[in-house]
Amino acid sequence: MTTRNRAVAALLTSATGLALLAGCGLRDYREDPPGGDGGKPVASSSFTPKAPLPSGRGLDADAHVPAPPKADESDATAVAEAWARIAYSHDTAYDTSPHDAALRAARFLTPRGAAALREYRPVSGPGDQWNTWAGHRAWTTVDVEADFDGDAPPDAPREAYRALFVKGEAHGRDGWRGEGPRVNVFLKLTRVGPGRPWQVADVTLVEAAAPPSASPSATAPDSNE
């Protein structure tokens, strides 16, 4: 795996709710057996959510959320990139947490993964970065890059792996601009047979290190101007 722009800052739960990552280390997707059930969620028997966060409100004409791209479903890379672009395009004026954008990207998941996602409700707060965005009623835009680092297994007739780098920017409705999502995404895609559509079956995330800001004026308008 290349190390470009990669400092492991946290081990995160999958943004889609497809899997829970073990705290002892990041799963190496290359060790999955061929044909494995990547879409099956991992449940925790010792934790029962008591106060899940509410879902975001419905989108309207003021929402800054991109329309789902018309990805070529015969191309695993196109499907992976389409999922990432929607899953990381947030609008805090409408979304309660990142889970709401993940729900919008559910169309690119396996049926099992989409069902698990819709049943999942986050309990903990979305975090300091989200709270900063929400304070400015910001939305995010992202660039998605494929990372062809040579570590992924070759594509099989029913299974493919993709590594992506997501880099975003946040845009406040008050004119503020700041750092958006920055994450390395490793996806497992499956299909029921050759010629059938690729779907995202499993997602593993590693948060990327954010570069230091050049100065406060780089992210906020100058009130003296």
Side-chain angles (χ1 to χ4, degrees), residues 12-21 38-43 83 87-88 98-103 106 109 112-122 200-205:
L12 304 178
T13 302
S14 162
T16 64
L18 298 183
L20 299 180
L21 304 183
K40 187 176 180 180
V42 178
W83 173 87
Y88 287 97
H99 183 66
D100 294 306
L103 286 170
L109 305 181
R112 185 189 296 244
L117 172 66
R118 294 184 179 109
E119 292 176 1
Y120 173 77
R121 288 293 180 269
V200 176
D202 194 20
V203 181
T204 300
L205 309 177

PDB file of all heavy atoms in Angstrom, residues 12-21 38-43 83 87-88 98-103 106 109 112-122 200-205:
ATOM      1  N   LEU A  12     -12.000   3.625  11.994  1.00  0.00           N
ATOM      2  CA  LEU A  12     -13.373   4.091  11.984  1.00  0.00           C
ATOM      3  C   LEU A  12     -14.346   2.976  11.659  1.00  0.00           C
ATOM      4  O   LEU A  12     -14.030   2.050  10.925  1.00  0.00           O
ATOM      5  CB  LEU A  12     -13.551   5.198  10.933  1.00  0.00           C
ATOM      6  CG  LEU A  12     -12.623   6.404  11.080  1.00  0.00           C
ATOM      7  CD1 LEU A  12     -12.883   7.369   9.948  1.00  0.00           C
ATOM      8  CD2 LEU A  12     -12.854   7.064  12.410  1.00  0.00           C
ATOM      9  N   THR A  13     -15.549   3.134  12.154  1.00  0.00           N
ATOM     10  CA  THR A  13     -16.638   2.277  11.718  1.00  0.00           C
ATOM     11  C   THR A  13     -16.967   2.610  10.282  1.00  0.00           C
ATOM     12  O   THR A  13     -16.935   3.748   9.884  1.00  0.00           O
ATOM     13  CB  THR A  13     -17.891   2.521  12.578  1.00  0.00           C
ATOM     14  OG1 THR A  13     -17.547   2.275  13.934  1.00  0.00           O
ATOM     15  CG2 THR A  13     -19.038   1.625  12.166  1.00  0.00           C
ATOM     16  N   SER A  14     -17.282   1.608   9.493  1.00  0.00           N
ATOM     17  CA  SER A  14     -17.631   1.836   8.109  1.00  0.00           C
ATOM     18  C   SER A  14     -18.719   2.877   7.996  1.00  0.00           C
ATOM     19  O   SER A  14     -19.705   2.856   8.709  1.00  0.00           O
ATOM     20  CB  SER A  14     -18.123   0.521   7.490  1.00  0.00           C
ATOM     21  OG  SER A  14     -18.839   0.766   6.309  1.00  0.00           O
ATOM     22  N   ALA A  15     -18.551   3.815   7.065  1.00  0.00           N
ATOM     23  CA  ALA A  15     -19.532   4.880   6.894  1.00  0.00           C
ATOM     24  C   ALA A  15     -20.879   4.323   6.483  1.00  0.00           C
ATOM     25  O   ALA A  15     -21.906   4.942   6.698  1.00  0.00           O
ATOM     26  CB  ALA A  15     -19.041   5.872   5.833  1.00  0.00           C
ATOM     27  N   THR A  16     -20.910   3.173   5.877  1.00  0.00           N
ATOM     28  CA  THR A  16     -22.171   2.607   5.445  1.00  0.00           C
ATOM     29  C   THR A  16     -22.818   1.736   6.496  1.00  0.00           C
ATOM     30  O   THR A  16     -23.939   1.288   6.331  1.00  0.00           O
ATOM     31  CB  THR A  16     -21.966   1.734   4.195  1.00  0.00           C
ATOM     32  OG1 THR A  16     -21.131   0.631   4.554  1.00  0.00           O
ATOM     33  CG2 THR A  16     -21.321   2.512   3.084  1.00  0.00           C
ATOM     34  N   GLY A  17     -22.146   1.442   7.579  1.00  0.00           N
ATOM     35  CA  GLY A  17     -22.701   0.532   8.567  1.00  0.00           C
ATOM     36  C   GLY A  17     -22.618  -0.917   8.132  1.00  0.00           C
ATOM     37  O   GLY A  17     -23.239  -1.788   8.736  1.00  0.00           O
ATOM     38  N   LEU A  18     -21.839  -1.215   7.086  1.00  0.00           N
ATOM     39  CA  LEU A  18     -21.759  -2.586   6.600  1.00  0.00           C
ATOM     40  C   LEU A  18     -20.950  -3.471   7.532  1.00  0.00           C
ATOM     41  O   LEU A  18     -21.165  -4.667   7.600  1.00  0.00           O
ATOM     42  CB  LEU A  18     -21.109  -2.624   5.214  1.00  0.00           C
ATOM     43  CG  LEU A  18     -21.849  -1.891   4.090  1.00  0.00           C
ATOM     44  CD1 LEU A  18     -21.099  -2.088   2.797  1.00  0.00           C
ATOM     45  CD2 LEU A  18     -23.267  -2.390   3.972  1.00  0.00           C
ATOM     46  N   ALA A  19     -19.988  -2.892   8.217  1.00  0.00           N
ATOM     47  CA  ALA A  19     -19.126  -3.715   9.056  1.00  0.00           C
ATOM     48  C   ALA A  19     -18.599  -2.882  10.203  1.00  0.00           C
ATOM     49  O   ALA A  19     -18.479  -1.675  10.103  1.00  0.00           O
ATOM     50  CB  ALA A  19     -17.954  -4.266   8.227  1.00  0.00           C
ATOM     51  N   LEU A  20     -18.264  -3.534  11.292  1.00  0.00           N
ATOM     52  CA  LEU A  20     -17.610  -2.860  12.403  1.00  0.00           C
ATOM     53  C   LEU A  20     -16.168  -3.317  12.434  1.00  0.00           C
ATOM     54  O   LEU A  20     -15.880  -4.503  12.400  1.00  0.00           O
ATOM     55  CB  LEU A  20     -18.300  -3.224  13.724  1.00  0.00           C
ATOM     56  CG  LEU A  20     -19.778  -2.830  13.814  1.00  0.00           C
ATOM     57  CD1 LEU A  20     -20.337  -3.252  15.155  1.00  0.00           C
ATOM     58  CD2 LEU A  20     -19.937  -1.336  13.622  1.00  0.00           C
ATOM     59  N   LEU A  21     -15.245  -2.355  12.470  1.00  0.00           N
ATOM     60  CA  LEU A  21     -13.837  -2.700  12.430  1.00  0.00           C
ATOM     61  C   LEU A  21     -13.337  -3.002  13.830  1.00  0.00           C
ATOM     62  O   LEU A  21     -13.636  -2.305  14.774  1.00  0.00           O
ATOM     63  CB  LEU A  21     -13.033  -1.537  11.845  1.00  0.00           C
ATOM     64  CG  LEU A  21     -13.486  -1.064  10.462  1.00  0.00           C
ATOM     65  CD1 LEU A  21     -12.554   0.030   9.979  1.00  0.00           C
ATOM     66  CD2 LEU A  21     -13.505  -2.218   9.489  1.00  0.00           C
ATOM     67  N   GLY A  38     -18.972 -10.495   1.954  1.00  0.00           N
ATOM     68  CA  GLY A  38     -18.529  -9.192   2.393  1.00  0.00           C
ATOM     69  C   GLY A  38     -19.629  -8.275   2.847  1.00  0.00           C
ATOM     70  O   GLY A  38     -19.371  -7.272   3.483  1.00  0.00           O
ATOM     71  N   GLY A  39     -20.910  -8.584   2.489  1.00  0.00           N
ATOM     72  CA  GLY A  39     -21.983  -7.674   2.835  1.00  0.00           C
ATOM     73  C   GLY A  39     -22.620  -7.942   4.170  1.00  0.00           C
ATOM     74  O   GLY A  39     -23.545  -7.252   4.568  1.00  0.00           O
ATOM     75  N   LYS A  40     -22.176  -8.946   4.907  1.00  0.00           N
ATOM     76  CA  LYS A  40     -22.818  -9.308   6.154  1.00  0.00           C
ATOM     77  C   LYS A  40     -22.328  -8.437   7.289  1.00  0.00           C
ATOM     78  O   LYS A  40     -21.138  -8.339   7.539  1.00  0.00           O
ATOM     79  CB  LYS A  40     -22.527 -10.771   6.474  1.00  0.00           C
ATOM     80  CG  LYS A  40     -23.303 -11.275   7.694  1.00  0.00           C
ATOM     81  CD  LYS A  40     -23.058 -12.752   7.896  1.00  0.00           C
ATOM     82  CE  LYS A  40     -23.825 -13.284   9.096  1.00  0.00           C
ATOM     83  NZ  LYS A  40     -23.591 -14.714   9.301  1.00  0.00           N
ATOM     84  N   PRO A  41     -23.236  -7.749   7.993  1.00  0.00           N
ATOM     85  CA  PRO A  41     -22.784  -6.873   9.077  1.00  0.00           C
ATOM     86  C   PRO A  41     -22.313  -7.657  10.274  1.00  0.00           C
ATOM     87  O   PRO A  41     -22.723  -8.787  10.505  1.00  0.00           O
ATOM     88  CB  PRO A  41     -24.052  -6.073   9.413  1.00  0.00           C
ATOM     89  CG  PRO A  41     -25.175  -6.984   9.021  1.00  0.00           C
ATOM     90  CD  PRO A  41     -24.687  -7.752   7.828  1.00  0.00           C
ATOM     91  N   VAL A  42     -21.427  -7.050  11.055  1.00  0.00           N
ATOM     92  CA  VAL A  42     -20.943  -7.663  12.284  1.00  0.00           C
ATOM     93  C   VAL A  42     -21.698  -7.034  13.439  1.00  0.00           C
ATOM     94  O   VAL A  42     -21.625  -5.825  13.656  1.00  0.00           O
ATOM     95  CB  VAL A  42     -19.430  -7.429  12.441  1.00  0.00           C
ATOM     96  CG1 VAL A  42     -18.942  -8.027  13.741  1.00  0.00           C
ATOM     97  CG2 VAL A  42     -18.688  -8.036  11.261  1.00  0.00           C
ATOM     98  N   ALA A  43     -22.432  -7.810  14.183  1.00  0.00           N
ATOM     99  CA  ALA A  43     -23.244  -7.280  15.268  1.00  0.00           C
ATOM    100  C   ALA A  43     -22.476  -7.315  16.571  1.00  0.00           C
ATOM    101  O   ALA A  43     -21.555  -8.097  16.758  1.00  0.00           O
ATOM    102  CB  ALA A  43     -24.531  -8.102  15.405  1.00  0.00           C
ATOM    103  N   TRP A  83     -20.181   5.568  -5.513  1.00  0.00           N
ATOM    104  CA  TRP A  83     -20.577   5.406  -4.102  1.00  0.00           C
ATOM    105  C   TRP A  83     -19.860   6.424  -3.229  1.00  0.00           C
ATOM    106  O   TRP A  83     -20.480   7.096  -2.404  1.00  0.00           O
ATOM    107  CB  TRP A  83     -20.257   3.992  -3.614  1.00  0.00           C
ATOM    108  CG  TRP A  83     -20.502   3.848  -2.149  1.00  0.00           C
ATOM    109  CD1 TRP A  83     -21.679   3.523  -1.534  1.00  0.00           C
ATOM    110  CD2 TRP A  83     -19.560   4.107  -1.096  1.00  0.00           C
ATOM    111  NE1 TRP A  83     -21.530   3.556  -0.167  1.00  0.00           N
ATOM    112  CE2 TRP A  83     -20.246   3.905   0.125  1.00  0.00           C
ATOM    113  CE3 TRP A  83     -18.218   4.475  -1.068  1.00  0.00           C
ATOM    114  CZ2 TRP A  83     -19.617   4.071   1.364  1.00  0.00           C
ATOM    115  CZ3 TRP A  83     -17.594   4.647   0.164  1.00  0.00           C
ATOM    116  CH2 TRP A  83     -18.290   4.440   1.361  1.00  0.00           C
ATOM    117  N   ALA A  87     -21.517   9.269  -0.876  1.00  0.00           N
ATOM    118  CA  ALA A  87     -21.410   8.984   0.555  1.00  0.00           C
ATOM    119  C   ALA A  87     -20.681  10.080   1.321  1.00  0.00           C
ATOM    120  O   ALA A  87     -20.864  10.206   2.537  1.00  0.00           O
ATOM    121  CB  ALA A  87     -20.706   7.644   0.771  1.00  0.00           C
ATOM    122  N   TYR A  88     -19.857  10.893   0.637  1.00  0.00           N
ATOM    123  CA  TYR A  88     -19.113  11.954   1.315  1.00  0.00           C
ATOM    124  C   TYR A  88     -19.577  13.357   0.928  1.00  0.00           C
ATOM    125  O   TYR A  88     -18.919  14.336   1.271  1.00  0.00           O
ATOM    126  CB  TYR A  88     -17.616  11.779   1.064  1.00  0.00           C
ATOM    127  CG  TYR A  88     -17.076  10.610   1.842  1.00  0.00           C
ATOM    128  CD1 TYR A  88     -16.916   9.372   1.246  1.00  0.00           C
ATOM    129  CD2 TYR A  88     -16.791  10.734   3.194  1.00  0.00           C
ATOM    130  CE1 TYR A  88     -16.471   8.282   1.967  1.00  0.00           C
ATOM    131  CE2 TYR A  88     -16.336   9.649   3.924  1.00  0.00           C
ATOM    132  CZ  TYR A  88     -16.185   8.426   3.306  1.00  0.00           C
ATOM    133  OH  TYR A  88     -15.748   7.339   4.032  1.00  0.00           O
ATOM    134  N   PRO A  98     -23.111  11.984   9.113  1.00  0.00           N
ATOM    135  CA  PRO A  98     -22.677  11.399   7.847  1.00  0.00           C
ATOM    136  C   PRO A  98     -23.538  10.229   7.389  1.00  0.00           C
ATOM    137  O   PRO A  98     -23.534   9.880   6.205  1.00  0.00           O
ATOM    138  CB  PRO A  98     -21.243  10.940   8.161  1.00  0.00           C
ATOM    139  CG  PRO A  98     -20.786  11.839   9.251  1.00  0.00           C
ATOM    140  CD  PRO A  98     -21.995  12.081  10.100  1.00  0.00           C
ATOM    141  N   HIS A  99     -24.279   9.640   8.307  1.00  0.00           N
ATOM    142  CA  HIS A  99     -25.124   8.496   7.949  1.00  0.00           C
ATOM    143  C   HIS A  99     -26.151   8.855   6.886  1.00  0.00           C
ATOM    144  O   HIS A  99     -26.521   8.018   6.063  1.00  0.00           O
ATOM    145  CB  HIS A  99     -25.824   7.980   9.213  1.00  0.00           C
ATOM    146  CG  HIS A  99     -26.657   6.756   8.992  1.00  0.00           C
ATOM    147  ND1 HIS A  99     -26.108   5.545   8.652  1.00  0.00           N
ATOM    148  CD2 HIS A  99     -28.006   6.552   9.074  1.00  0.00           C
ATOM    149  CE1 HIS A  99     -27.080   4.642   8.532  1.00  0.00           C
ATOM    150  NE2 HIS A  99     -28.227   5.235   8.776  1.00  0.00           N
ATOM    151  N   ASP A 100     -26.614  10.099   6.870  1.00  0.00           N
ATOM    152  CA  ASP A 100     -27.646  10.482   5.910  1.00  0.00           C
ATOM    153  C   ASP A 100     -27.118  10.445   4.481  1.00  0.00           C
ATOM    154  O   ASP A 100     -27.822  10.010   3.563  1.00  0.00           O
ATOM    155  CB  ASP A 100     -28.183  11.868   6.253  1.00  0.00           C
ATOM    156  CG  ASP A 100     -28.926  11.879   7.581  1.00  0.00           C
ATOM    157  OD1 ASP A 100     -29.853  11.073   7.747  1.00  0.00           O
ATOM    158  OD2 ASP A 100     -28.556  12.676   8.460  1.00  0.00           O
ATOM    159  N   ALA A 101     -25.875  10.882   4.269  1.00  0.00           N
ATOM    160  CA  ALA A 101     -25.284  10.787   2.937  1.00  0.00           C
ATOM    161  C   ALA A 101     -25.046   9.327   2.560  1.00  0.00           C
ATOM    162  O   ALA A 101     -25.215   8.940   1.398  1.00  0.00           O
ATOM    163  CB  ALA A 101     -23.980  11.574   2.867  1.00  0.00           C
ATOM    164  N   ALA A 102     -24.650   8.521   3.536  1.00  0.00           N
ATOM    165  CA  ALA A 102     -24.463   7.092   3.263  1.00  0.00           C
ATOM    166  C   ALA A 102     -25.765   6.456   2.795  1.00  0.00           C
ATOM    167  O   ALA A 102     -25.766   5.596   1.909  1.00  0.00           O
ATOM    168  CB  ALA A 102     -23.949   6.389   4.512  1.00  0.00           C
ATOM    169  N   LEU A 103     -26.881   6.890   3.376  1.00  0.00           N
ATOM    170  CA  LEU A 103     -28.177   6.374   2.932  1.00  0.00           C
ATOM    171  C   LEU A 103     -28.452   6.744   1.483  1.00  0.00           C
ATOM    172  O   LEU A 103     -29.024   5.955   0.724  1.00  0.00           O
ATOM    173  CB  LEU A 103     -29.289   6.903   3.836  1.00  0.00           C
ATOM    174  CG  LEU A 103     -29.387   6.290   5.226  1.00  0.00           C
ATOM    175  CD1 LEU A 103     -30.366   7.083   6.092  1.00  0.00           C
ATOM    176  CD2 LEU A 103     -29.834   4.828   5.151  1.00  0.00           C
ATOM    177  N   ALA A 106     -26.889   4.330  -0.865  1.00  0.00           N
ATOM    178  CA  ALA A 106     -27.259   2.917  -0.693  1.00  0.00           C
ATOM    179  C   ALA A 106     -27.596   2.233  -2.009  1.00  0.00           C
ATOM    180  O   ALA A 106     -27.521   1.004  -2.113  1.00  0.00           O
ATOM    181  CB  ALA A 106     -28.450   2.805   0.267  1.00  0.00           C
ATOM    182  N   LEU A 109     -25.046  -0.281  -3.153  1.00  0.00           N
ATOM    183  CA  LEU A 109     -24.697  -1.400  -2.282  1.00  0.00           C
ATOM    184  C   LEU A 109     -25.384  -2.688  -2.723  1.00  0.00           C
ATOM    185  O   LEU A 109     -26.360  -2.675  -3.470  1.00  0.00           O
ATOM    186  CB  LEU A 109     -25.106  -1.087  -0.839  1.00  0.00           C
ATOM    187  CG  LEU A 109     -24.575   0.192  -0.199  1.00  0.00           C
ATOM    188  CD1 LEU A 109     -25.088   0.293   1.232  1.00  0.00           C
ATOM    189  CD2 LEU A 109     -23.053   0.230  -0.236  1.00  0.00           C
ATOM    190  N   ARG A 112     -28.138  -6.893   0.642  1.00  0.00           N
ATOM    191  CA  ARG A 112     -27.897  -7.167   2.048  1.00  0.00           C
ATOM    192  C   ARG A 112     -27.265  -5.960   2.748  1.00  0.00           C
ATOM    193  O   ARG A 112     -27.657  -5.585   3.854  1.00  0.00           O
ATOM    194  CB  ARG A 112     -26.982  -8.388   2.212  1.00  0.00           C
ATOM    195  CG  ARG A 112     -26.771  -8.808   3.662  1.00  0.00           C
ATOM    196  CD  ARG A 112     -25.683  -9.865   3.738  1.00  0.00           C
ATOM    197  NE  ARG A 112     -26.096 -11.068   3.037  1.00  0.00           N
ATOM    198  CZ  ARG A 112     -26.286 -12.237   3.630  1.00  0.00           C
ATOM    199  NH1 ARG A 112     -26.090 -12.366   4.922  1.00  0.00           N
ATOM    200  NH2 ARG A 112     -26.652 -13.275   2.921  1.00  0.00           N
ATOM    201  N   GLY A 113     -26.305  -5.336   2.082  1.00  0.00           N
ATOM    202  CA  GLY A 113     -25.663  -4.169   2.656  1.00  0.00           C
ATOM    203  C   GLY A 113     -26.615  -2.994   2.786  1.00  0.00           C
ATOM    204  O   GLY A 113     -26.609  -2.275   3.788  1.00  0.00           O
ATOM    205  N   ALA A 114     -27.453  -2.786   1.770  1.00  0.00           N
ATOM    206  CA  ALA A 114     -28.417  -1.686   1.829  1.00  0.00           C
ATOM    207  C   ALA A 114     -29.423  -1.898   2.955  1.00  0.00           C
ATOM    208  O   ALA A 114     -29.802  -0.957   3.661  1.00  0.00           O
ATOM    209  CB  ALA A 114     -29.133  -1.555   0.490  1.00  0.00           C
ATOM    210  N   ALA A 115     -29.865  -3.139   3.144  1.00  0.00           N
ATOM    211  CA  ALA A 115     -30.804  -3.425   4.226  1.00  0.00           C
ATOM    212  C   ALA A 115     -30.168  -3.179   5.586  1.00  0.00           C
ATOM    213  O   ALA A 115     -30.790  -2.599   6.489  1.00  0.00           O
ATOM    214  CB  ALA A 115     -31.300  -4.874   4.115  1.00  0.00           C
ATOM    215  N   ALA A 116     -28.906  -3.600   5.766  1.00  0.00           N
ATOM    216  CA  ALA A 116     -28.212  -3.383   7.032  1.00  0.00           C
ATOM    217  C   ALA A 116     -28.029  -1.898   7.294  1.00  0.00           C
ATOM    218  O   ALA A 116     -28.168  -1.422   8.431  1.00  0.00           O
ATOM    219  CB  ALA A 116     -26.858  -4.093   7.015  1.00  0.00           C
ATOM    220  N   LEU A 117     -27.736  -1.145   6.249  1.00  0.00           N
ATOM    221  CA  LEU A 117     -27.542   0.294   6.386  1.00  0.00           C
ATOM    222  C   LEU A 117     -28.821   0.982   6.844  1.00  0.00           C
ATOM    223  O   LEU A 117     -28.805   1.845   7.716  1.00  0.00           O
ATOM    224  CB  LEU A 117     -27.086   0.865   5.050  1.00  0.00           C
ATOM    225  CG  LEU A 117     -27.003   2.384   4.949  1.00  0.00           C
ATOM    226  CD1 LEU A 117     -25.913   2.911   5.864  1.00  0.00           C
ATOM    227  CD2 LEU A 117     -26.748   2.810   3.516  1.00  0.00           C
ATOM    228  N   ARG A 118     -29.930   0.606   6.261  1.00  0.00           N
ATOM    229  CA  ARG A 118     -31.202   1.257   6.599  1.00  0.00           C
ATOM    230  C   ARG A 118     -31.663   0.904   8.006  1.00  0.00           C
ATOM    231  O   ARG A 118     -32.391   1.676   8.637  1.00  0.00           O
ATOM    232  CB  ARG A 118     -32.254   0.888   5.565  1.00  0.00           C
ATOM    233  CG  ARG A 118     -31.939   1.450   4.172  1.00  0.00           C
ATOM    234  CD  ARG A 118     -33.024   1.170   3.167  1.00  0.00           C
ATOM    235  NE  ARG A 118     -32.681   1.740   1.868  1.00  0.00           N
ATOM    236  CZ  ARG A 118     -32.344   1.022   0.794  1.00  0.00           C
ATOM    237  NH1 ARG A 118     -32.288  -0.314   0.884  1.00  0.00           N
ATOM    238  NH2 ARG A 118     -32.045   1.611  -0.351  1.00  0.00           N
ATOM    239  N   GLU A 119     -31.256  -0.255   8.504  1.00  0.00           N
ATOM    240  CA  GLU A 119     -31.618  -0.646   9.869  1.00  0.00           C
ATOM    241  C   GLU A 119     -30.726   0.024  10.912  1.00  0.00           C
ATOM    242  O   GLU A 119     -31.121   0.197  12.060  1.00  0.00           O
ATOM    243  CB  GLU A 119     -31.513  -2.164  10.028  1.00  0.00           C
ATOM    244  CG  GLU A 119     -32.563  -2.925   9.233  1.00  0.00           C
ATOM    245  CD  GLU A 119     -32.358  -4.421   9.330  1.00  0.00           C
ATOM    246  OE1 GLU A 119     -31.403  -4.846  10.036  1.00  0.00           O
ATOM    247  OE2 GLU A 119     -33.124  -5.165   8.705  1.00  0.00           O
ATOM    248  N   TYR A 120     -29.513   0.402  10.510  1.00  0.00           N
ATOM    249  CA  TYR A 120     -28.532   0.970  11.430  1.00  0.00           C
ATOM    250  C   TYR A 120     -28.887   2.414  11.766  1.00  0.00           C
ATOM    251  O   TYR A 120     -29.271   3.196  10.892  1.00  0.00           O
ATOM    252  CB  TYR A 120     -27.145   0.896  10.799  1.00  0.00           C
ATOM    253  CG  TYR A 120     -26.058   1.599  11.576  1.00  0.00           C
ATOM    254  CD1 TYR A 120     -25.507   1.037  12.718  1.00  0.00           C
ATOM    255  CD2 TYR A 120     -25.578   2.829  11.153  1.00  0.00           C
ATOM    256  CE1 TYR A 120     -24.502   1.683  13.428  1.00  0.00           C
ATOM    257  CE2 TYR A 120     -24.569   3.485  11.849  1.00  0.00           C
ATOM    258  CZ  TYR A 120     -24.043   2.903  12.985  1.00  0.00           C
ATOM    259  OH  TYR A 120     -23.060   3.549  13.678  1.00  0.00           O
ATOM    260  N   ARG A 121     -28.761   2.783  13.034  1.00  0.00           N
ATOM    261  CA  ARG A 121     -28.945   4.166  13.456  1.00  0.00           C
ATOM    262  C   ARG A 121     -27.784   4.561  14.362  1.00  0.00           C
ATOM    263  O   ARG A 121     -27.587   3.930  15.412  1.00  0.00           O
ATOM    264  CB  ARG A 121     -30.275   4.355  14.184  1.00  0.00           C
ATOM    265  CG  ARG A 121     -31.504   4.279  13.280  1.00  0.00           C
ATOM    266  CD  ARG A 121     -31.527   5.468  12.312  1.00  0.00           C
ATOM    267  NE  ARG A 121     -32.678   5.423  11.431  1.00  0.00           N
ATOM    268  CZ  ARG A 121     -32.677   4.836  10.236  1.00  0.00           C
ATOM    269  NH1 ARG A 121     -31.586   4.228   9.800  1.00  0.00           N
ATOM    270  NH2 ARG A 121     -33.745   4.846   9.498  1.00  0.00           N
ATOM    271  N   PRO A 122     -26.985   5.557  13.985  1.00  0.00           N
ATOM    272  CA  PRO A 122     -25.856   5.965  14.828  1.00  0.00           C
ATOM    273  C   PRO A 122     -26.345   6.529  16.148  1.00  0.00           C
ATOM    274  O   PRO A 122     -27.393   7.178  16.220  1.00  0.00           O
ATOM    275  CB  PRO A 122     -25.166   7.043  13.983  1.00  0.00           C
ATOM    276  CG  PRO A 122     -26.225   7.541  13.055  1.00  0.00           C
ATOM    277  CD  PRO A 122     -27.122   6.367  12.775  1.00  0.00           C
ATOM    278  N   VAL A 200     -21.298  -2.527  -4.207  1.00  0.00           N
ATOM    279  CA  VAL A 200     -20.388  -2.429  -3.066  1.00  0.00           C
ATOM    280  C   VAL A 200     -20.861  -3.371  -1.969  1.00  0.00           C
ATOM    281  O   VAL A 200     -21.997  -3.281  -1.498  1.00  0.00           O
ATOM    282  CB  VAL A 200     -20.338  -0.982  -2.538  1.00  0.00           C
ATOM    283  CG1 VAL A 200     -19.465  -0.898  -1.283  1.00  0.00           C
ATOM    284  CG2 VAL A 200     -19.816  -0.043  -3.617  1.00  0.00           C
ATOM    285  N   ALA A 201     -19.982  -4.286  -1.548  1.00  0.00           N
ATOM    286  CA  ALA A 201     -20.327  -5.278  -0.537  1.00  0.00           C
ATOM    287  C   ALA A 201     -19.719  -4.969   0.826  1.00  0.00           C
ATOM    288  O   ALA A 201     -20.275  -5.345   1.855  1.00  0.00           O
ATOM    289  CB  ALA A 201     -19.877  -6.677  -0.986  1.00  0.00           C
ATOM    290  N   ASP A 202     -18.580  -4.283   0.847  1.00  0.00           N
ATOM    291  CA  ASP A 202     -17.906  -4.023   2.126  1.00  0.00           C
ATOM    292  C   ASP A 202     -17.018  -2.802   1.976  1.00  0.00           C
ATOM    293  O   ASP A 202     -16.454  -2.563   0.904  1.00  0.00           O
ATOM    294  CB  ASP A 202     -17.071  -5.241   2.538  1.00  0.00           C
ATOM    295  CG  ASP A 202     -16.630  -5.183   3.994  1.00  0.00           C
ATOM    296  OD1 ASP A 202     -17.258  -4.431   4.762  1.00  0.00           O
ATOM    297  OD2 ASP A 202     -15.666  -5.869   4.359  1.00  0.00           O
ATOM    298  N   VAL A 203     -16.905  -2.024   3.044  1.00  0.00           N
ATOM    299  CA  VAL A 203     -16.117  -0.790   3.026  1.00  0.00           C
ATOM    300  C   VAL A 203     -15.248  -0.748   4.274  1.00  0.00           C
ATOM    301  O   VAL A 203     -15.722  -0.980   5.380  1.00  0.00           O
ATOM    302  CB  VAL A 203     -17.018   0.456   2.996  1.00  0.00           C
ATOM    303  CG1 VAL A 203     -16.170   1.721   2.952  1.00  0.00           C
ATOM    304  CG2 VAL A 203     -17.981   0.414   1.818  1.00  0.00           C
ATOM    305  N   THR A 204     -13.969  -0.448   4.094  1.00  0.00           N
ATOM    306  CA  THR A 204     -13.052  -0.228   5.207  1.00  0.00           C
ATOM    307  C   THR A 204     -12.440   1.155   5.038  1.00  0.00           C
ATOM    308  O   THR A 204     -12.031   1.528   3.938  1.00  0.00           O
ATOM    309  CB  THR A 204     -11.944  -1.296   5.229  1.00  0.00           C
ATOM    310  OG1 THR A 204     -12.535  -2.594   5.373  1.00  0.00           O
ATOM    311  CG2 THR A 204     -10.992  -1.057   6.395  1.00  0.00           C
ATOM    312  N   LEU A 205     -12.385   1.922   6.116  1.00  0.00           N
ATOM    313  CA  LEU A 205     -11.940   3.305   6.054  1.00  0.00           C
ATOM    314  C   LEU A 205     -10.708   3.535   6.916  1.00  0.00           C
ATOM    315  O   LEU A 205     -10.589   2.982   7.993  1.00  0.00           O
ATOM    316  CB  LEU A 205     -13.045   4.249   6.550  1.00  0.00           C
ATOM    317  CG  LEU A 205     -14.436   4.080   5.946  1.00  0.00           C
ATOM    318  CD1 LEU A 205     -15.398   5.046   6.609  1.00  0.00           C
ATOM    319  CD2 LEU A 205     -14.391   4.290   4.458  1.00  0.00           C
TER     320      LEU A 205
END
